[in-house]
Amino acid sequence: MTSSIIRMSKGPILENRIVIDDIVAGYGPVQVLRGVSVHVEPGETVVLLGSNGNGKSTLINAIMGIVRPTAGSIILERDGQRIDLIGKAPEEIVGLGIAMVPEGRRLFPALTVEENLMLGAYRKDARAKITENLEFCLEAFPALRERYKQIAGNMSGGEQQMIAFARALMSAPSILLIDEPSVGLAPILVNRMIAKIAELKTHRNLTILMAEQNFNQAIKIADRGYIIVHGEIAFEGRNTEELKNNELIKQYYLGV
Amino acid sequence: MGRFWLGATGVFMAGLLFTGAVDNEFYFFSGYVILQGLIMATAWNILGGFTGYVNFGSAGFFAVGAYISVALHQALALPLPFLILASGMVCGLMGLATGYLTLRLKGIYFAISTLAMAIVLETVITNWEYVGGASGAYILTPKDSLFFASYVELLFMVMLIIAIAAVAFARYLSTSRTGKGLTAIRDDELAAECMGVPTLRLKLVSATAMGVFMGMAGAPFPFFITFVDPLSAFSLFIAVNAIAMPLIGGTKVWYGPVIGALILGLTQEITTVTISSELNLLIVGVVLIGFITLAPGGIVGLVQDFSRKRLRSKAAPSAGGDR
């Protein structure tokens, strides 16, 4: 899959890689991640599988700087540079080219579509390319162009998910973290959303780490994946075949 | 020059004309009180409305502003404009410092911490003998009132200028990038953070601006009432008004507190004359409860709802939404 990537970005192509090594994280006394190691290579789509409460969101929040791990390391390798993400504020991490589509979308409901998108480009480097990125987002999601001046909170679930994606893309990221894009969407919309992610990835040369419960959908676009159970990596599938044939998947997702 | 500044200049000129044409000092006393409320409401709304951090202690900054003014007046006999600037600066720094300590808290915890802070401030002032401590301090009204007929007319114009400055700042802030960031914090702080909005820094900007204007509103206060003690400077009436006015007007836009201050302030002044001054706090309470339960968006919210409904009924009835 990776060989067919069309490189569209105009600036220097960034080879970004995230290497998470043995992190421990949680909330207060509750330990959610107990020594998780995950790596995402440039241009890959990696999926984190697992049911609720196993630590998928915590892992994504830890990369984003929202949850601070108590042990282990999260390294962003960016054009040969090694940057430790632990201890960095979320705004700095956004500045390093990592963006997040949060679980449940988390839009700014009182603001218009336009204002939501503009907030996605809050960082200085993102503002420089704001017209270009905006044009791209509105082309990718034509429905948003029609509803550009509408209040985001009044829009349908599918449209809100589009805004969440577009807002994340407004910071011109090279790595996109997606937390459960299928939550609260009708099955047909999940289908479209997954196809859209694949399309965006190709056009934007994105590296994607996606947490998802919907195995059958996630596997359509994943290059490989991890299964998290109780805050530990229970299985690492080096390709989709390995994931499909894994016992845990059969047990949790396919009901075999 | 935009419409806003034309309007502001108009208001200023009207104020000047008013001082020239009217002799009855009562109107200037009333006007002063309303403008004081307006400045405080606008200041409160920057942190409480734009940013969504509801603050019960902000009137403490008003009192500190008043006392900075007393202290500097006693020590150096500085003229009023300097006292106002000094109070604004000190209270701005205090806003920054207390903001740094409290703004990591959220919702009700933040609100309680600000309430505690106001009590601490009151205790400090009460024990500060230099400015009169618990027994208060007398301030002699300066003889020189420039070209105004009386000193209260001068104070009225001073408050008008501060009010215009505060409203202009709030308006500028709400349309700026910083203001959009503040709205994002109010709507969903975590999401704002994920988008790269520097939330703590923006919250501190917001708290500092609140402090500056609260302090400025308080600085002329000792000259206005000529005797200031902790009870009057930290009065519940002043503190509640600063919160009630934005809530009644509408907290999401810069003109919300202005509308609230004018309506509530005028009502209070009228009842003071026609019924009794004791009734004022009761009126605030009743009106506030009414708005919180029936119109949480304030007057601005009511008008927006109304015009939206009219728009919808005007548009051809559609086949219904697809959501």
Side-chain angles (χ1 to χ4, degrees):
Chain A
M1 257 193 109
T2 41
S3 59
S4 64
I5 286 173
I6 308 161
R7 301 205 186 262
M8 289 272 292
S9 49
K10 294 193 174 89
I13 295 158
L14 298 175
E15 289 287 286
N16 281 8
R17 156 190 295 117
I18 291 183
V19 182
I20 299 165
D21 190 34
D22 206 19
I23 60 164
V24 177
Y27 308 89
V30 184
Q31 227 181 57
V32 180
L33 298 176
R34 295 181 291 186
V36 169
S37 301
V38 164
H39 64 106
V40 186
E41 301 299 317
E44 268 191 325
T45 299
V46 174
V47 62
L48 292 170
L49 297 160
S51 48
N52 280 336
N54 280 315
K56 299 189 303 296
S57 294
T58 308
L59 181 60
I60 284 188
N61 286 339
I63 300 173
M64 214 56 218
I66 297 163
V67 172
R68 190 164 291 192
T70 49
S73 70
I74 303 177
I75 305 286
L76 170 71
E77 287 181 22
R78 195 187 190 210
D79 286 341
Q81 247 184 313
R82 286 169 59 85
I83 306 161
D84 189 357
L85 296 187
I86 293 181
K88 284 209 174 357
E91 76 233 33
E92 293 173 274
I93 292 171
V94 173
L96 290 169
I98 302 180
M100 171 178 175
V101 182
E103 182 179 359
R105 308 183 271 273
R106 304 200 79 141
L107 299 179
F108 307 113
L111 299 183
T112 62
V113 174
E114 176 184 18
E115 287 167 326
N116 266 281
L117 295 189
M118 290 306 156
L119 277 161
Y122 206 88
R123 298 291 304 173
K124 211 175 179 178
D125 7 347
R127 250 180 297 153
K129 287 190 274 180
I130 202 160
T131 24
E132 190 188 325
N133 289 327
L134 183 63
E135 196 45 46
F136 174 82
C137 288
L138 294 180
E139 230 149 78
F141 301 102
L144 296 186
R145 199 191 291 274
E146 290 160 30
R147 303 182 169 239
Y148 197 50
K149 298 280 179 193
Q150 287 189 21
I151 302 289
N154 296 342
M155 296 171 62
S156 72
E159 287 164 340
Q160 291 196 9
Q161 188 63 279
M162 289 180 198
I163 302 172
F165 267 97
R167 187 179 63 175
L169 292 174
M170 286 298 286
S171 66
S174 55
I175 297 179
L176 191 60
L177 311 176
I178 310 173
D179 198 356
E180 304 227 10
S182 72
V183 162
L185 291 184
I188 182 159
L189 290 178
V190 177
N191 245 330
R192 272 188 222 157
M193 193 48 72
I194 291 290
K196 192 51 109 177
I197 294 172
E199 178 195 323
L200 289 173
K201 177 202 154 118
T202 317
H203 284 152
R204 288 252 119 171
N205 186 23
L206 291 170
T207 299
I208 293 177
L209 177 63
M210 178 169 83
E212 182 55 74
Q213 294 196 45
N214 190 330
F215 174 73
N216 289 323
Q217 291 288 356
I219 206 152
K220 284 190 201 163
I221 57 166
D223 295 314
R224 56 189 184 85
Y226 298 86
I227 302 170
I228 301 190
V229 179
H230 299 316
E232 283 164 3
I233 300 291
F235 180 71
E236 180 180 350
R238 282 166 299 175
N239 51 51
T240 46
E241 281 310 305
E242 279 191 18
L243 284 173
K244 273 184 199 158
N245 297 329
N246 183 262
E247 285 304 316
L248 283 164
I249 293 291
K250 286 182 183 163
Q251 187 185 329
Y252 283 119
Y253 293 102
L254 305 177
V256 182
Chain B
M1 201 159 66
R3 267 202 339 227
F4 174 81
W5 286 106
L6 277 175
T9 317
V11 168
F12 179 76
M13 297 309 286
L16 270 184
L17 269 177
F18 189 50
T19 54
V22 177
D23 281 337
N24 189 344
E25 283 195 354
F26 166 77
Y27 292 108
F28 298 101
F29 277 104
S30 289
Y32 181 97
V33 173
I34 295 173
L35 286 171
Q36 175 182 297
L38 196 154
I39 301 166
M40 292 179 71
T42 301
W44 183 89
N45 199 47
I46 291 174
L47 187 59
F50 292 172
T51 323
Y53 275 74
V54 171
N55 186 334
F56 290 125
S58 55
F61 292 95
F62 166 87
V64 170
Y67 270 99
I68 297 291
S69 187
V70 172
L72 286 178
H73 178 69
Q74 280 189 2
L76 306 164
L78 289 178
L80 188 58
F82 289 98
L83 298 180
I84 293 171
L85 287 179
S87 293
M89 270 168 57
V90 172
C91 292
L93 285 176
M94 271 180 54
L96 181 68
T98 52
Y100 193 77
L101 293 174
T102 57
L103 278 168
R104 290 153 205 270
L105 303 171
K106 302 229 153 73
I108 189 134
Y109 300 102
F110 172 76
I112 290 171
S113 75
T114 58
L115 196 57
M117 194 196 67
I119 295 168
V120 170
L121 285 178
E122 185 168 1
T123 314
V124 170
I125 298 280
T126 309
N127 290 289
W128 189 10
E129 284 305 323
Y130 185 69
V131 291
S135 49
Y138 283 97
I139 300 287
L140 292 178
T141 309
K143 291 250 160 46
D144 184 18
S145 54
L146 298 178
F147 47 85
F148 295 103
S150 67
Y151 199 71
V152 68
E153 289 189 17
L154 171 80
L155 283 178
F156 172 78
M157 283 313 288
V158 165
M159 285 309 253
L160 190 60
I161 293 169
I162 303 176
I164 290 172
V167 173
F169 179 80
R171 176 176 169 273
Y172 164 75
L173 186 68
S174 65
T175 52
S176 72
R177 225 169 67 83
T178 304
K180 293 286 173 240
L182 296 180
T183 315
I185 292 172
R186 182 187 67 203
D187 270 13
D188 191 332
E189 190 165 343
L190 189 72
E193 219 160 290
C194 292
M195 292 305 115
V197 176
T199 50
L200 182 63
R201 201 170 73 215
L202 293 194
K203 286 192 285 184
L204 290 178
V205 167
S206 174
T208 308
M210 180 276 291
V212 167
F213 287 112
M214 281 289 176
M216 284 179 141
F221 186 66
F223 298 94
F224 176 68
I225 55 169
T226 67
F227 168 73
V228 58
D229 65 346
L231 268 183
S232 56
F234 286 92
S235 105
L236 181 65
F237 182 65
I238 293 175
V240 168
N241 262 357
I243 303 174
M245 286 167 173
L247 287 180
I248 288 169
T251 55
K252 294 192 174 170
V253 285
W254 61 269
Y255 48 86
V258 177
I259 294 172
L262 291 178
I263 290 179
L264 190 61
L266 277 172
T267 316
Q268 284 168 343
E269 290 307 314
I270 292 168
T271 41
T272 306
V273 181
T274 54
I275 311 173
S276 87
S277 59
E278 301 300 312
L279 210 66
N280 272 343
L281 209 51
L282 186 75
I283 288 180
V284 188
V286 171
V287 174
L288 197 53
I289 290 170
F291 268 93
I292 286 171
T293 49
L294 300 174
I299 290 169
V300 173
L302 270 182
V303 172
Q304 279 173 349
D305 281 353
F306 183 69
S307 58
R308 207 172 292 144
K309 262 179 211 147
R310 271 189 49 177
L311 262 180
R312 204 168 293 162
S313 60
K314 259 188 197 168
S318 67
D322 56 342
R323 46 195 77 133

